């Protein structure tokens, strides 16, 4: 039984080597595709973070303009911007609870409505986050805790904005 490789003719050995090489290439290709898609998820998250920061800073800018020019439209725009920023942060801060309590379709719809990504990207994002939640990665928990703390602070900022508008 263990001499079967020695008993093969040269043509059989070449065919076996070609088969093993093709299997290795297929596995390498599938692994590369997986990591390319995972990189796309990281890119989506970075874009979402940038959008959050832009909305947050725009809300502060509008609030300062309200103070400078006493324009109530600027204050309402600041409240709208901070609300949009808070919605983005809220989705990320509750990702572990969302994954535990909801099905993929509801989470995908939330991702599409909050981050304005395509459905394929949202599906990929949800699948990867589900996979990462299975793994014991402490960085995910720490980033969710940091997002929850930031969300609490952002709600306080929104309340301050609303106090000026009398809401």
């Amino acid at each position: 039984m263990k001499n079967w490789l020695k008993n093969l003719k040269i043509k059989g050995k070449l065919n076996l080597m070609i088969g093993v090489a093709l299997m290795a290439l297929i596995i390498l290709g599938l692994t590369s595709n997986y990591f390319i898609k995972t990189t796309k998820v990281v890119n989506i998250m970075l874009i979402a973070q940038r959008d959050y920061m832009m909305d947050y800073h725009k809300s502060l800018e509008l609030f300062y303009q309200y103070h400078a020019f006493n324009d109530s439209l600027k204050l309402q725009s600041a409240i709208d911007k901070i609300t949009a920023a808070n919605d983005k942060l809220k989705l990320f801060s509750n990702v572990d609870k969302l994954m535990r309590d909801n099905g993929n379709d509801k989470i995908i719809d939330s991702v599409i409505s909050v981050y304005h990504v395509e459905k394929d990207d949202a599906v990929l994002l949800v699948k990867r986050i589900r996979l990462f939640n299975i793994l014991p990665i402490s960085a995910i928990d720490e980033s969710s805790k940091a997002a929850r703390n930031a969300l609490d602070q952002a709600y306080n900022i929104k309340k301050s904005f609303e106090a000026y508008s009398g809401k």
Side-chain angles (χ1 to χ4, degrees):
M1 179 73 182
K2 60 183 180 178
N3 288 331
W4 70 272
L5 186 59
K6 289 181 181 178
N7 294 336
L8 284 177
K9 295 183 179 180
I10 291 180
K11 185 176 181 182
K13 289 178 183 178
L14 286 174
N15 285 337
L16 180 64
M17 287 173 43
I18 290 171
V20 169
L22 286 175
M23 287 301 295
L25 285 174
I26 290 170
I27 291 170
L28 182 65
L30 292 173
T31 305
S32 297
N33 187 35
Y34 172 81
F35 284 117
I36 287 171
K37 286 186 177 184
T38 301
T39 303
K40 187 175 184 180
V41 167
V42 171
N43 191 34
I44 292 168
M45 294 301 294
L46 289 173
I47 290 170
Q49 181 184 10
R50 185 198 70 207
D51 288 346
Y52 163 75
M53 292 302 294
M54 289 175 59
D55 285 348
Y56 173 75
H57 287 289
K58 186 65 176 177
S59 72
L60 293 178
E61 177 184 332
L62 289 167
F63 185 72
Y64 291 137
Q65 288 177 1
Y66 160 74
H67 269 292
F69 304 116
N70 203 16
D71 183 1
S72 61
L73 292 175
K74 297 283 185 187
L75 179 60
Q76 187 56 46
S77 296
I79 292 171
D80 293 343
K81 277 293 182 186
I82 197 74
T83 301
N86 289 351
D87 289 344
K88 292 173 183 173
L89 191 57
K90 183 178 179 183
L91 183 65
F92 183 68
S93 68
N94 295 329
V95 73
D96 50 349
K97 185 177 184 266
L98 279 172
M99 294 292 175
R100 191 176 52 247
D101 296 345
N102 297 307
N104 281 358
D105 292 337
K106 181 173 179 170
I107 300 168
I108 289 167
D109 292 340
S110 297
V111 168
I112 291 170
S113 67
V114 171
Y115 292 125
H116 308 292
V117 296
E118 295 179 15
K119 184 168 179 136
D120 292 340
D121 292 340
V123 169
L124 180 64
L125 180 68
V126 169
K127 285 182 179 179
R128 288 302 189 269
I129 290 175
R130 280 207 186 275
L131 177 66
F132 292 147
N133 273 347
I134 292 170
L135 302 173
I137 301 173
S138 64
I140 295 172
D141 293 335
E142 290 173 15
S143 63
S144 289
K145 287 178 188 174
R148 279 191 284 278
N149 289 338
L151 183 62
D152 291 340
Q153 296 300 321
Y155 278 142
N156 289 337
I157 292 170
K158 181 181 176 185
K159 286 178 188 175
S160 297
F161 288 1
E162 289 172 342
Y164 277 93
S165 70
K167 285 188 177 180

